[in-house]
C-alpha cells in the first residue's frame, strides 16, 4: 500500500524487519507506542518506515526496564530521551540500593540462625533513612556515655556517625545491618562506657592536635607487629623467650605516658590495665563496621595479638622476674637421676610411638582436646617437638613449627624424629652440658613432659587407653608445677585453668 507516494508496511513486514512478534507489535500499537499511519479498506494496519525505528527504540528502552508509559512518551517525542533516561537511571539506582540492603538481610539469614524477630529487626534496619540511621547511633552513644567525663575516646564516639552512601556496596549494606543489631546488645554499651571512663581517668584532656594520636597509633602498630611476629614464630606469651619482646614494647610505650617513668612493675601493671580496659571484641567490631560503612580503612582485628601481649605482661610482671624464677627452678634437682630420666624418655617415646602407629587414616580429621587441632595436626606437633628439642641439643634451634613434618607416613616421621631425639640425648656429656640457664637433662625432662601431655591428648582423641607411663607422669608432676604452675591461665597463654581429674576431691 502506498500513501501519496510513501510505501506503507504491513504488521507482518514490520515484524520481519524488527524481529518482534506480530502480537507484541499489535499490543504496542494499541497503547500508542507505534500508532499505525493508516488502514487498508479491509481494516488492516499499515505503518511508515519510522515505525521500524520507533519499535527498535522502544525495545531497547524496555530491555533497560523502563515502563511502557515512559517509553510511549519518548518515542512519540512528548518527553525528551535524556530526561526520561536520567529519571529512569535514578529509579534504577534507588532500586539497586534497596536490593543491596535486602540482599544483606538475606545473606545474614543464610549465614547464621535467625529467628522471625531478628529477621523483622534486620528488615527494619534495611529500610531506615540516612537521618534515622544517624539518629539510632547518636542515641546509642549519648545514652551510653551519659555523664562520663570528656575524653578523646568519648568525643570520637560522638563525632563518628554512619554515613551509608546512596549506592552502598554489598559490604557496606551488610555492615549496617550488623551494626544495627550490635547496637541492641547491652554488653556493647557497657564495654564502650567502661573504655570511655578509663580514658577519662588516664587522659582527661584532648591534646588538641594529631601528634598524640599519631604516636599512640605507632606504638599500637609496633606491639601488634611484634606480638604477631612472635606468634608466627611459635613463641608462647608465657615462655622465657617472650621477656625481651615485652621489654621492647614497654620501652616504646613509656614515652606516650608523659610522666618520665621507667620499666618496672608499676609501668607494666599500668600498660596491662590499659589493654584490659579496651580488650572487648564488641567495641573493636563497632569501629570496624563504622569504618566499612563510611568507606574508611579498616584496621585488622588485634584480638589475638592483644591476648598474647596481656598474657606476656602477666607472665613478666617486672623485668627479669620470669628469668630469675625459672633459673632457680632449673637448678633444683629433678625427681629422677639423669640416667633414669633418659631411660624414662625412651620408654615414653615408645609408648607414644605405639599410639601414633595405631592411628587410622579415617581418624586424621577427628578433633582432639587441643583446641583447633585435629589428629593430624597433633601428630605433626608430636613429631616437631622431637625435632625441636633435638635441634636445641645439637645447638641448631628450629623455628619451622608450622611446616608439615609428617608427609605421607606419620609413623615413619615420628619414629625417625624420636630416634633422632634419643641419639642427641645419648651423646656423651649431653646431660651435664649447659643450654642457657638449663642443664642438658632438663631438655630430656621437657621432651618427657611434652610426650606425656600430648600423648594423652592423642589417646583421648583416638579412644586408646590414657594411662601412659603413670610412674613417670607422677615423677614429672613436681617439675611441671614448678615450671608452669604459676603461669597465667588466660586467653593467649599456654594453659587453660587447672581442672581436677574425675574422682578427685
Amino acid at each position: 500500500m502506498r500513501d501519496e507516494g510513501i510505501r506503507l508496511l504491513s504488521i507482518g513486514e514490520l515484524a520481519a524487519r524488527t524481529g518482534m512478534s506480530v502480537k507484541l507489535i499489535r499490543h504496542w500499537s494499541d497503547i500508542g507506542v507505534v500508532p499505525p499511519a493508516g488502514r487498508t479498506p479491509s481494516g488492516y494496519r499499515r505503518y511508515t518506515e519510522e515505525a521500524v525505528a520507533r519499535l527498535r527504540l522502544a525495545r531497547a528502552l524496555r530491555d533497560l526496564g523502563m515502563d511502557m508509559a515512559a517509553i510511549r512518551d519518548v518515542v512519540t517525542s512528548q518527553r525528551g530521551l535524556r530526561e526520561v533516561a536520567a529519571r529512569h537511571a535514578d529509579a534504577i539506582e534507588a532500586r539497586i540500593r534497596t536490593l543491596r540492603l535486602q540482599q544483606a538481610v538475606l545473606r545474614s539469614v543464610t549465614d547464621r540462625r535467625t529467628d522471625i524477630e531478628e529477621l523483622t529487626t534486620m528488615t527494619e534496619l534495611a529500610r531506615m533513612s540516612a537521618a534515622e540511621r544517624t539518629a539510632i547511633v547518636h542515641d546509642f552513644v549519648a545514652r551510653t556515655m551519659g555523664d562520663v567525663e570528656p575524653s578523646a575516646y568519648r568525643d570520637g564516639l560522638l563525632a563518628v556517625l554512619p554515613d551509608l552512601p546512596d549506592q552502598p556496596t554489598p559490604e557496606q549494606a551488610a555492615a549496617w545491618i550488623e551494626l544495627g543489631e550490635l547496637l541492641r546488645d547491652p554488653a556493647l554499651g557497657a564495654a564502650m562506657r567502661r573504655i570511655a571512663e578509663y580514658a577519662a581517668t588516664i587522659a582527661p584532656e584532648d591534646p588538641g592536635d594529631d601528634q598524640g594520636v599519631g604516636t599512640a597509633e605507632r606504638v599500637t602498630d609496633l606491639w601488634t607487629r611484634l606480638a604477631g611476629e612472635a606468634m608466627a614464630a611459635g613463641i608462647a606469651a608465657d615462655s622465657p623467650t617472650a621477656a625481651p619482646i615485652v621489654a621492647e614494647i614497654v620501652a616504646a610505650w613509656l614515652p606516650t605516658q608523659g610522666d618520665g617513668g621507667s620499666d618496672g612493675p608499676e609501668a607494666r601493671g599500668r600498660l596491662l590495665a590499659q589493654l584490659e580496659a579496651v580488650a572487648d571484641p564488641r567495641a573493636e567490631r563497632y569501629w570496624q563496621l563504622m569504618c566499612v560503612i563510611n568507606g574508611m580503612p579498616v584496621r585488622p582485628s588485634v584480638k589475638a595479638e592483644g591476648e598474647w601481649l596481656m598474657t606476656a605482661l602477666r607472665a613478666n610482671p617486672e623485668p627479669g622476674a620470669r628469668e630469675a624464677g625459672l633459673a632457680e627452678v632449673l637448678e633444683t634437682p629433678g625427681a629422677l637421676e639423669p640416667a633414669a630420666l633418659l631411660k624414662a624418655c625412651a620408654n615414653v617415646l615408645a609408648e607414644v610411638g605405639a599410639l601414633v602407629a595405631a592411628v587410622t587414616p579415617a581418624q586424621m580429621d577427628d578433633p582432639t582436646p587441643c583446641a583447633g587441632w585435629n589428629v593430624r595436626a597433633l601428630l605433626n606437633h608430636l613429631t616437631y617437638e622431637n625435632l625441636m628439642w633435638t635441634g636445641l641439643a645439637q645447638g641448631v634451634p628450629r623455628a619451622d613449627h608450622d611446616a608439615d613434618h609428617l608427609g605421607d607416613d606419620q609413623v615413619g616421621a615420628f619414629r625417625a624424629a624420636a630416634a633422632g631425639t634419643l641419639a642427641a640425648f645419648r651423646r656423651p656429656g649431653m646431660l651435664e652440658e649447659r643450654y642457657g640457664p638449663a642443664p642438658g637433662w632438663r631438655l630430656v625432662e621437657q621432651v618427657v613432659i611434652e610426650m606425656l601431655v600430648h600423648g594423652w591428648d592423642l589417646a583421648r582423641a583416638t579412644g586408646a587407653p590414657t594411662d601412659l607411663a603413670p610412674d613417670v607422669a607422677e615423677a614429672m608432676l613436681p617439675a611441671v608445677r614448678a615450671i608452669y604452675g604459676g603461669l597465667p591461665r588466660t586467653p593467649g597463654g599456654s594453659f587453660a585453668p587447672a581442672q581436677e581429674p574425675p574422682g578427685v576431691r
Side-chain angles (χ1 to χ4, degrees):
M1 178 179 177
R2 293 180 179 276
D3 183 19
E4 298 179 357
I6 299 175
R7 183 177 181 276
L8 299 180
L9 305 173
S10 69
I11 197 168
E13 290 175 312
L14 207 54
R17 295 274 294 275
T18 61
M20 300 169 65
S21 70
V22 170
K23 183 178 180 180
L24 181 59
I25 295 174
R26 185 179 295 116
H27 171 64
W28 283 7
S29 180
D30 289 342
I31 63 176
V33 174
V34 57
R39 289 179 180 268
T40 67
S42 302
Y44 290 104
R45 309 176 200 212
R46 291 294 183 263
Y47 301 87
T48 64
E49 288 283 342
E50 183 185 0
V52 176
R54 281 192 177 191
L55 284 171
R56 287 173 175 166
L57 174 59
R59 182 170 59 185
L61 295 176
R62 188 60 178 162
D63 288 344
L64 290 172
M66 195 174 293
D67 63 85
M68 293 310 299
I71 292 172
R72 184 182 61 239
D73 288 348
V74 171
V75 299
T76 59
S77 299
Q78 294 180 32
R79 292 164 64 190
L81 175 59
R82 293 180 63 182
E83 175 192 356
V84 173
R87 291 187 179 181
H88 188 59
D90 291 341
I92 290 175
E93 288 177 0
R95 181 61 177 158
I96 289 173
R97 178 178 174 278
T98 300
L99 289 172
R100 280 178 174 159
L101 291 172
Q102 291 173 348
Q103 182 189 45
V105 170
L106 294 173
R107 289 294 183 202
S108 296
V109 172
T110 58
D111 290 344
R112 58 191 176 89
R113 293 184 176 180
T114 303
D115 58 28
I116 300 219
E117 183 179 351
E118 286 179 313
L119 178 60
T120 302
T121 299
M122 292 159 63
T123 304
E124 291 173 354
L125 291 168
R127 290 175 176 170
M128 283 184 177
S129 65
E132 290 171 328
R133 288 193 298 271
T134 298
I136 192 175
V137 177
H138 190 277
D139 289 348
F140 164 79
V141 173
R143 186 173 64 255
T144 299
M145 294 299 100
D147 56 353
V148 175
E149 293 296 323
S151 68
Y153 186 84
R154 175 183 178 277
D155 294 344
L157 279 175
L158 292 169
V160 179
L161 295 172
D163 185 18
L164 193 67
D166 292 335
Q167 301 181 49
T169 64
E171 292 76 17
Q172 287 173 314
W176 164 246
I177 299 296
E178 185 180 345
L179 177 63
E181 291 187 286
L182 185 61
L183 295 176
R184 296 170 181 263
D185 185 352
L188 172 66
M192 300 188 91
R193 181 178 177 86
R194 183 178 67 251
I195 295 171
E197 288 174 340
Y198 186 79
T201 300
I202 64 169
E205 296 182 1
D206 188 343
D209 55 40
D210 296 333
Q211 183 175 357
V213 174
T215 300
E217 287 183 346
R218 285 192 292 274
V219 172
T220 299
D221 289 340
L222 172 69
W223 72 254
T224 54
R225 177 178 62 80
L226 292 177
E229 290 174 352
M231 293 165 63
I235 298 175
D238 44 23
S239 71
T241 317
I245 302 173
V246 172
E248 183 177 354
I249 292 172
V250 173
W253 168 79
L254 278 170
T256 68
Q257 302 306 291
D259 57 7
S262 59
D263 190 356
E266 190 278 333
R268 295 190 177 199
R270 192 167 11 132
L271 174 56
L272 177 58
Q274 287 186 15
L275 292 169
E276 290 174 335
V278 301
D280 190 283
R282 301 174 193 86
E284 182 182 58
R285 188 58 180 159
Y286 174 93
W287 288 111
Q288 289 177 330
L289 293 171
M290 198 68 76
C291 289
V292 173
I293 293 169
N294 292 338
M296 301 165 59
V298 180
R299 262 188 178 272
S301 173
V302 296
K303 179 176 181 291
E305 292 85 351
E307 289 178 345
W308 188 96
L309 180 54
M310 287 187 287
T311 297
L313 285 164
R314 295 184 189 109
N316 296 273
E318 61 179 301
R322 172 85 170 121
E323 297 94 317
L326 189 58
E328 182 179 352
V329 170
L330 293 178
E331 292 299 334
T332 303
L336 299 176
E337 291 294 326
L341 179 63
L342 184 56
K343 182 179 178 181
C345 181
N347 292 337
V348 170
L349 283 172
E351 289 198 34
V352 174
L355 290 173
V356 173
V359 175
T360 67
Q363 293 176 312
M364 288 298 217
D365 291 327
D366 288 349
T368 72
C370 302
W373 283 358
N374 58 16
V375 169
R376 191 183 196 285
L378 179 56
L379 291 173
N380 195 58
H381 181 74
L382 282 164
T383 303
Y384 174 73
E385 284 291 331
N386 281 279
L387 296 172
M388 181 190 73
W389 291 105
T390 299
L392 289 173
Q394 295 173 338
V396 186
R398 301 179 65 124
D400 56 342
H401 64 286
D402 284 336
D404 180 7
H405 303 288
L406 297 182
D408 297 328
D409 179 13
Q410 80 269 12
V411 178
F414 179 82
R415 286 176 176 170
T421 297
L422 291 175
F425 289 170
R426 286 167 175 164
R427 178 174 53 81
M430 181 272 169
L431 298 178
E432 292 76 30
E433 284 184 17
R434 304 295 298 188
Y435 295 86
W441 64 266
R442 283 288 187 183
L443 273 65
V444 181
E445 183 181 71
Q446 287 303 300
V447 171
V448 173
I449 292 171
E450 286 288 339
M451 293 301 106
L452 287 172
V453 170
H454 290 301
W456 183 93
D457 291 331
L458 181 61
R460 187 69 179 270
T462 58
T466 57
D467 56 342
L468 278 77
D471 292 341
V472 177
E474 186 174 354
M476 293 297 102
L477 195 55
V480 170
R481 286 174 172 157
I483 297 173
Y484 304 113
L487 296 180
R489 305 300 181 101
T490 53
S494 301
F495 301 95
Q499 300 183 40
E500 290 289 346
V504 175
R505 294 182 179 180

